[in-house]
Amino acid sequence: MHPVVCMITDRRRLGEGAESALIRRVAAAARAGIHLIQIRERDMPDGALMTLVAQAVEAARGTRTRILVNDRIDVALAAGAHGVHLRGDSAPTRRIRKVTPPSFLIGRSVHTREEIEHAAAEAEVDYLLFGTVFDTTSKPNRQPAGLTGLAEAVGAAPKLPVLAIGGMTLDTVGQLSGTGCAGFAAISQFADVPESDIARTVTAALRAWDNQR
């Protein structure tokens, strides 16, 4: 079974014309069949973020890709996104469900067993994003949990899909077998390749996962 693959954006890596470049990458990833794209542009002004998310939703239209917004429920709803991804300390999921449509996707980042158990007990979350699993330049000061920590996270939330994050490369994705995780998310793997290689990167990531099984 194919994994859930999530591309997390970081326009600051894209140089001049970053917003347009990001939307082109969203479109390429969507055409390649990626499942989730999390718009994680926390420093953008509200209006600019709203425009970016709306453009991402349009770029993914007609594909299976679902656009999520990092933590900004208001922007996600106003821009027509498919869901929101919450920090570990964000608002309770049950409260968010009161103002979102039934199909709205809600994920949450978790880093400790306590956070995992608390999120799982909410019963309204759709998936968990656990990390950091491997060493990564995005979180250089965070001790990686490793494959053992990832397997323990999966075991602590048996009814929820758990995605791995942190140091995800084609090599490390091939090491996830046996942990029980449902897929993975990455920033660098998709942001640090040429725009023309986005589709190839998605395909290669899916192949790396399949080859481990």
Side-chain angles (χ1 to χ4, degrees):
M1 186 173 67
H2 280 327
V4 176
V5 181
C6 177
M7 179 176 87
I8 301 176
T9 69
D10 183 356
R11 78 189 190 289
R12 294 170 299 180
R13 301 184 185 214
L14 303 180
E16 187 176 353
E19 286 81 0
S20 297
L22 189 151
I23 294 303
R24 292 195 299 270
R25 285 170 179 264
V26 167
R31 290 194 300 269
I34 203 165
H35 300 84
L36 305 174
I37 297 178
Q38 182 193 145
I39 306 297
R40 186 177 181 270
E41 306 298 336
R42 295 181 292 186
D43 62 328
M44 289 189 80
D46 290 358
L49 179 61
M50 186 94 67
T51 298
L52 186 72
V53 174
Q55 290 175 341
V57 170
E58 187 60 33
R61 193 175 303 281
T63 73
R64 71 177 180 183
T65 301
R66 303 177 77 178
I67 304 297
L68 313 177
V69 182
N70 183 270
D71 214 50
R72 292 296 302 272
I73 301 131
D74 55 341
V75 171
L77 290 172
H82 305 99
V84 67
H85 184 81
L86 305 173
R87 300 190 311 267
D89 59 355
S90 294
T93 311
R94 194 177 302 275
R95 186 188 306 166
I96 295 169
R97 284 290 182 205
K98 293 179 180 180
V99 299
T100 60
S103 61
F104 198 76
L105 190 64
I106 301 177
R108 188 179 291 277
S109 290
V110 290
H111 307 96
T112 66
R113 188 178 186 90
E114 181 181 8
E115 289 180 346
I116 295 164
E117 292 175 346
H118 184 269
E122 285 189 290
E124 299 284 351
V125 69
D126 292 299
Y127 72 91
L128 300 179
L129 185 61
F130 174 78
T132 302
V133 177
F134 300 107
D135 286 318
T136 173
T137 55
S138 298
K139 302 285 185 180
N141 298 320
R142 182 168 289 167
Q143 181 68 29
L147 296 173
T148 299
L150 175 59
E152 290 174 352
V154 171
K159 295 183 179 181
L160 287 174
V162 176
L163 308 185
I165 189 170
M168 293 295 128
T169 66
L170 296 182
D171 289 335
T172 57
V173 164
Q175 299 175 37
L176 299 178
S177 179
T179 66
C181 72
F184 57 93
I187 300 174
S188 299
Q189 187 175 7
F190 300 109
D192 294 347
V193 298
E195 185 179 307
S196 58
D197 286 346
I198 290 292
R200 190 177 303 121
T201 299
V202 173
T203 300
L206 292 172
R207 187 180 298 119
W209 175 281
D210 287 341
N211 288 342
Q212 71 178 318
R213 297 187 178 275

